[in-house]
Amino acid sequence: MLSRALNRPEAWRVSRALACRLVAYDGNVTVGGPPAVRELAGLVLTKVAVGPMDNNAYLLRCVKTGEQLLIDAAAEAPTLLGLLGPGPLTLVVTTHRHRDHWQALAEVVKATSARTAAHVDDAPGIPVPTDVPLHDGDHVRVGAAELEVIHLVGHTPGSIALLYDEPGGRPHLFTGDSLFPGGVGNTHGSRENFESLINDVERKLFDRLPDETWVYPGHGADTTLGTERPHLGEWRARGW
């Protein structure tokens, strides 16, 4: 009945969303597999993995207004566009300038007329013009919800994380390639960049946010700050 009432792409989209809600969110997604959907206070979060570099992309939809924000239009524009609900995609935030995080950006922007945002230090390295240059401490909005921009220097000069402080819940942190389960992002053998990144990650994330903070990285599985906190000394000692 549902499939007959909707056109074929819309029926697929709705049935996929319903299926996702039957499974508890654990953040584990695979390229070509279904997205994972998590309902937060004020936002619905959809995580999907896209190839060829197994990147994560995150769609945030405001519960009150239906407006949507995409974090990293990494690749596979049709996959990303297929996540969208009926509300407008108002903004695409690119966490840093590396190519695998913006390969679908031009196509997504063309299809949706969404604005683009990136840190001012990385914007020149992204071939799609940046409409909203970001700085540390700025806030971006998706409908009635707000995310804080946190500048983390080291993986690239303009890498950022986005923090959503869920009302009545835990903080949610989208870290791009600056923090993963098991360590900070790749600094390509530069001791200076490593020291910069781990200092920023310690001071701006671990020193400030509680253990229950959920971490959504640019690749792979999710984690929490509490899971990673005991290993900060190990990361410093190994230098990566």
Side-chain angles (χ1 to χ4, degrees), residues 165-233:
D165 194 1
E166 182 184 11
R170 68 173 82 202
H172 297 263
L173 189 64
F174 303 88
T175 56
D177 284 1
S178 290
L179 177 63
F180 296 97
V184 296
N186 191 348
T187 53
H188 310 285
S190 169
R191 185 71 191 186
E192 180 181 359
N193 288 347
F194 171 75
E195 291 290 343
S196 174
L197 181 55
I198 199 164
N199 286 343
D200 274 1
V201 164
E202 281 202 46
R203 179 171 58 88
K204 295 183 176 183
L205 305 183
F206 285 94
D207 288 354
R208 173 187 172 192
L209 298 170
D211 283 352
E212 62 265 27
T213 301
W214 197 278
V215 176
Y216 305 86
H219 304 263
D222 299 354
T223 187
T224 66
L225 290 188
T227 300
E228 307 305 322
R229 192 183 301 276
H231 306 290
L232 285 168

Side-chain angles (χ1 to χ4, degrees), residues 12-235:
W12 172 81
R13 187 180 301 166
V14 171
S15 63
R16 183 175 65 172
L18 291 174
C20 288
R21 292 182 185 183
L22 296 176
V23 179
Y25 179 89
D26 62 8
N28 294 321
V29 292
T30 58
V31 176
V37 177
R38 185 175 203 176
E39 297 190 11
L40 309 177
L43 290 176
V44 175
L45 180 158
T46 303
K47 176 181 180 179
V48 68
V50 293
M53 299 291 289
D54 199 6
N55 285 73
N56 296 325
Y58 300 93
L59 181 73
L60 306 180
R61 177 175 59 81
C62 175
V63 172
K64 290 184 179 179
T65 69
E67 292 180 42
Q68 297 165 100
L69 178 150
L70 180 65
I71 300 172
D72 284 344
E76 298 184 24
T79 298
L80 301 181
L81 293 170
L83 300 177
L84 299 179
L89 180 67
T90 57
L91 190 68
V92 182
V93 181
T94 302
T95 58
H96 62 287
R97 68 189 185 191
H98 287 161
R99 177 181 175 82
D100 59 312
H101 289 260
W102 51 253
Q103 289 181 92
L105 182 57
E107 191 171 346
V108 168
V109 168
K110 182 178 180 180
T112 63
S113 299
R115 303 182 79 203
T116 61
H119 191 274
V120 64
D121 290 340
D122 269 15
I126 301 170
V128 179
T130 296
D131 300 314
V132 184
L134 300 174
H135 300 81
D136 190 46
D138 285 350
H139 292 81
V140 295
R141 299 195 65 84
V142 50
E146 189 173 74
L147 294 91
E148 180 186 345
V149 176
I150 302 174
H151 186 201
L152 303 169
V153 181
H155 183 65
T156 65
S159 290
I160 59 170
L162 294 173
L163 174 64
Y164 177 60
D165 194 1
E166 182 184 11
R170 68 173 82 202
H172 297 263
L173 189 64
F174 303 88
T175 56
D177 284 1
S178 290
L179 177 63
F180 296 97
V184 296
N186 191 348
T187 53
H188 310 285
S190 169
R191 185 71 191 186
E192 180 181 359
N193 288 347
F194 171 75
E195 291 290 343
S196 174
L197 181 55
I198 199 164
N199 286 343
D200 274 1
V201 164
E202 281 202 46
R203 179 171 58 88
K204 295 183 176 183
L205 305 183
F206 285 94
D207 288 354
R208 173 187 172 192
L209 298 170
D211 283 352
E212 62 265 27
T213 301
W214 197 278
V215 176
Y216 305 86
H219 304 263
D222 299 354
T223 187
T224 66
L225 290 188
T227 300
E228 307 305 322
R229 192 183 301 276
H231 306 290
L232 285 168
E234 300 169 27
W235 303 350

